[in-house]
Amino acid sequence: MVCCIGGAELAVAYWLDRPVFDKLTKPVIQKAEQLWQRGGEVIAAGRFWLTDKFAQPALMEQETVDPQKASEPMLSDGGEAITDPSVTELTIKDGQELLTGGSISVAYFAQSDSAWKDKSYGNDPIGSYGCGPTVMAMAVQSMTGTKTDPEKMAAWCAVHGYWAPQSGSYHSIVQGVADAFGLECDPAGTLSADELRLQLSGGRIAVALMKAGHFTSGGHFILLRGTTVEGKILVADPNSRARSLAAWDAQTIIDELSDSRSAGAPLWFLSKSVQD
């Protein structure tokens, strides 16, 4: 038998028979408490569902993307391992890995770090698809001093529409993060190996979107962080500490830049804001 009880009946029970009132309302109160506890999870899930279903298609209509997924490089040889710590080394300061040398010391993050590799970038794992936010976390912390990491940056980028489902990041992630965190961002356009060396030796760093070659078998964001005295390029590769401790021929970098020209791709120079 199903009983339907209205507000008037509950009011009478409340004043005349409190045990009956408590018995009638207890299931409702328990259900409400459960829903309240799950509210945070529902809101978070709903946010990413809305981003996936509505915000992302709007971006996709305007912007193509080179899919990025962590992979072994198509080519295995190319970089020259650096053994002289005066050129560059990976050290630790206050618990943070740092790549020395180059234009500036770079706070290094690996997307495969156990602290965040299984954390979400939208609905994808950072370890597989998070080279974009990992590179931008390196750039932001190194150039502005703002404390961040791949997990925090991935969450920010997903909320702001830069996560490309099962493809990594939309290329507009670079300009978007730079604008939000107070960095100057200049798409490079077409340039020569000599021009690349000149820009990097002048105190700037660059975000580079690479195609299949020595850094990936698909698409991959890396950071170009300076030059050696011989004119080789220093990088910070979020998918390889070894490649981050090698010197690279400038022409190799130029040749393996993505063919995409979407949202400033494939190369963006970053510098501190003039007002800084």
Side-chain angles (χ1 to χ4, degrees), residues 130-199:
C131 61
T134 303
V135 160
M136 296 315 297
M138 287 194 269
V140 167
Q141 181 159 319
S142 302
M143 300 199 81
T144 72
T146 300
K147 295 294 184 182
T148 186
D149 59 43
E151 182 180 0
K152 293 175 183 176
M153 186 60 73
W156 187 94
C157 290
V159 168
H160 288 81
Y162 299 116
W163 162 59
Q166 295 188 329
S167 294
S169 303
Y170 290 107
H171 304 166
S172 53
I173 185 177
V174 183
Q175 185 74 59
V177 171
D179 289 345
F181 289 88
L183 292 174
E184 298 289 336
C185 179
D186 299 310
T190 302
L191 77 170
S192 67
D194 285 339
E195 289 169 330
L196 176 61
R197 282 189 285 261
L198 181 63
Q199 290 286 346

Side-chain angles (χ1 to χ4, degrees), residues 7 16-17 26-27 42 53 60 64 94 103 106-107 112 117 126 130 136 138 143 189 199 204 220 238-239 250 256:
L16 299 181
D17 197 336
K26 184 177 180 180
V42 172
K53 297 299 181 183
M60 290 174 70
T64 58
D94 298 327
S103 301
V106 168
S112 60
K117 69 175 183 178
I126 292 173
M136 296 315 297
M138 287 194 269
M143 300 199 81
Q199 290 286 346
R204 306 174 92 185
H220 186 47
N239 199 35
E256 295 184 10

Side-chain angles (χ1 to χ4, degrees), residues 17-127:
D17 197 336
R18 188 59 180 268
V20 171
F21 174 85
D22 291 341
K23 183 177 181 180
L24 291 172
T25 58
K26 184 177 180 180
V28 177
I29 293 173
Q30 288 177 334
K31 188 64 176 179
E33 289 175 343
Q34 292 173 1
L35 291 173
W36 180 263
Q37 291 172 356
R38 293 188 59 197
E41 299 175 9
V42 172
I43 291 172
R47 181 183 65 199
F48 286 120
W49 184 87
L50 287 170
T51 299
D52 191 9
K53 297 299 181 183
F54 296 100
Q56 298 299 342
L59 273 175
M60 290 174 70
E61 291 175 1
Q62 306 170 29
E63 184 182 339
T64 58
V65 60
D66 276 12
Q68 309 117 40
K69 185 177 182 180
S71 62
E72 290 299 314
M74 185 177 71
L75 303 174
S76 57
D77 298 326
E80 180 183 339
I82 298 172
T83 57
D84 184 353
S86 68
V87 177
T88 190
E89 65 176 338
L90 188 61
T91 186
I92 297 178
K93 182 178 181 181
D94 298 327
Q96 172 65 59
E97 286 187 285
L98 288 176
L99 283 166
T100 63
S103 301
I104 58 172
S105 291
V106 168
Y108 179 77
F109 296 113
Q111 64 191 90
S112 60
D113 192 301
S114 60
W116 44 68
K117 69 175 183 178
D118 296 322
K119 301 295 184 180
S120 295
Y121 180 26
N123 290 331
D124 298 320
I126 292 173

Side-chain angles (χ1 to χ4, degrees), residues 75 78 190-197 200 210-211 214-215 224 227 230-234 247-258:
L75 303 174
T190 302
L191 77 170
S192 67
D194 285 339
E195 289 169 330
L196 176 61
R197 282 189 285 261
L200 293 175
M210 311 303 289
K211 61 185 178 184
H214 290 88
F215 295 93
L224 310 183
T227 62
E230 295 82 15
K232 299 287 188 178
I233 306 300
L234 298 174
W248 295 87
D249 185 75
Q251 192 60 52
T252 297
I253 300 294
I254 294 293
D255 291 343
E256 295 184 10
L257 288 172
S258 167

